[in-house]
Amino acid sequence: MRLLHIGDIVGKPGRQIINRALRGLIQEDQLDLVVANAENSAGGSGLTPANYRELIAAGVDAITLGDHIYRRREINAVLESERNIVKPANFPASAPGHDHMVVKARDGSSVAVLSLLGRVFMRPVDCPWAAADRVLEELPAEARVILVDFHAEATSDMQLMGRYLDGRVSAVLGTHTHVPTADENIQSGGTAFQCDVGMTGPMESILGRRIDRVLETTRTFNPTHFEVATGDVRINSTIVDVDPETGRATAIRRRQVDEAEAERLASLVAVKSPSR
Ligand SMILES: [Fe+2]
Ligand SMILES: [Fe+2]
């Protein structure tokens, strides 16, 4: 089976390119499941219920978040009621949301998805290693395909999680830095790994925000509004092939979609639509 993990979707440009390209991508790359990190979907920070519905309608099957999860508090009800969206598993039990999900992929496999937050150069949070152990223990036996979104700042931290979970999950894919890394590989135990999938949003930016604003505030300490940028919008994502019987990864590759590629993918679906 084949799954796609989409890196941090940033603001309206990020949501728009997903709307434009994802159906074509699912069709062309024969994707059985689409997981997306959506923590920056609402104006660059957080996720609203409307954004949630928009992404699901666009073809996203499962949503992970990160340190910006509760930036829009109206998402809390969705986190409690829906079973295709999770909070980081190392948040306190009392924090709104579920610590893992089991979703059905198009090939019929049950796929478990969980998210963990790193602790290096980030706000203190419960132990991600212990949380991973706890959730893996709780998973139903039929969920042999397991994806872990490790939302972390430091590449060393990400590599440690990849090695810690090697042979126990199908893939450990990083998010949060918004910069894709070229280290995708399958570790010796059969777990696909990549430090960071990258972001889905405007590349002509500082991590998705307007360059002039971030530069002004950084140089002068004069506070500005870090508006979401608009130039050179791309999807950064990673495709992992997994043997559904064993849960072991068999292939991993990066999949980047720029605006021209998004148009091509959109036309694939438009041509195949029976209503035209
Ligand atoms: Fe992010
Ligand atoms: Fe983040």
Side-chain angles (χ1 to χ4, degrees), residues 102-264:
V102 178
V103 286
K104 227 8 158 206
R106 276 174 280 277
D107 72 323
S109 342
S110 294
V111 181
V113 181
L114 63 132
S115 135
L116 297 162
L117 221 58
R119 294 196 292 191
V120 177
F121 311 132
M122 295 180 82
R123 207 169 60 141
V125 64
D126 291 348
C127 177
W129 321 95
D133 291 342
R134 187 195 73 238
V135 173
L136 292 180
E137 192 71 31
E138 286 167 9
L139 292 181
E142 77 265 18
R144 281 187 283 272
V145 181
I146 305 169
L147 169 67
V148 176
D149 174 340
F150 190 39
H151 198 78
E153 185 73 52
T155 45
S156 54
D157 213 19
M158 294 159 174
Q159 290 188 344
L160 280 164
M161 187 58 80
R163 296 299 174 185
Y164 186 61
L165 297 179
D166 189 19
R168 299 162 70 195
V169 305
S170 310
V172 176
L173 300 174
T175 56
H176 176 71
T177 71
H178 293 202
V179 178
T181 56
D183 60 336
E184 71 278 10
N185 74 100
I186 297 176
Q187 302 175 130
S188 55
T191 298
F193 174 77
Q194 184 185 6
C195 271
D196 203 299
V197 171
M199 87 174 162
T200 295
M203 301 299 287
E204 200 180 317
S205 72
I206 304 296
L207 308 184
R209 307 307 183 100
R210 269 176 57 166
I211 298 164
D212 57 340
R213 299 286 177 81
V214 181
L215 208 48
E216 162 78 9
T217 298
T218 305
R219 287 177 58 247
T220 67
F221 283 28
N222 180 29
T224 59
H225 176 53
F226 289 1
E227 253 177 283
V228 171
T230 53
D232 189 12
V233 181
R234 299 186 206 178
I235 296 174
N236 277 296
S237 63
T238 294
I239 292 175
V240 180
D241 291 347
V242 183
D243 177 342
E245 297 304 316
T246 62
R248 288 172 76 103
T250 55
I252 178 170
R253 66 183 166 98
R254 281 174 279 147
R255 182 71 164 98
Q256 193 181 70
V257 176
D258 62 12
E259 286 163 272
E261 175 74 341
E263 287 315 305
R264 188 188 66 78

Side-chain angles (χ1 to χ4, degrees), residues 8 10 37 39-40 67-68 151 176-178:
D8 302 42
V10 179
N37 185 298
E39 72 148 3
N40 304 107
D67 47 317
H68 298 300
H151 198 78
H176 176 71
T177 71
H178 293 202

